[in-house]
């Protein structure tokens, strides 16, 4: 149950970044990424997702945010 809640939290954080990217709002996307990064890495450290998977997701989101208005 705890892992399920953590996985949902990770997905929700990623979804907020995705929505900001889709809207083309760089400021909101940067704020969402800043909030999502610790959530994703916490999920990785707790074993909900693999460490490399967490790093990859953060990296890909960051590169997309950077490319947005960059």
């Amino acid at each position: 149950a705890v892992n399920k809640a953590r996985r949902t939290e990770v997905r929700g954080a990623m979804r907020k970044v995705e929505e900001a990217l889709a809207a083309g709002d760089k400021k909101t996307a940067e704020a969402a990424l800043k909030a999502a990064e610790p959530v994703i890495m916490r999920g990785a450290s707790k074993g909900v997702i693999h460490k490399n998977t967490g790093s990859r997701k953060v990296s890909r989101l960051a590169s997309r945010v950077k490319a947005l208005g960059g």
Side-chain angles (χ1 to χ4, degrees):
V2 173
N3 281 351
K4 186 174 182 182
R6 282 195 211 282
R7 199 170 313 121
T8 303
E9 192 180 14
V10 168
R11 285 199 200 112
M14 288 178 55
R15 185 166 44 247
K16 284 181 184 160
V17 180
E18 294 285 350
E19 287 170 358
L21 285 168
D25 189 353
K26 189 173 172 89
K27 277 210 185 320
T28 308
E30 286 173 344
L33 178 64
K34 192 168 185 163
E37 187 174 351
V39 174
I40 294 169
M41 295 318 291
R42 196 174 311 123
S45 70
K46 301 291 183 184
V48 175
I49 57 176
H50 193 275
K51 180 171 59 94
N52 291 354
T53 303
S55 294
R56 185 180 69 238
K57 288 182 185 297
V58 169
S59 175
R60 287 183 180 170
L61 286 174
S63 66
R64 286 176 60 193
V65 169
K66 186 177 178 187
L68 189 59

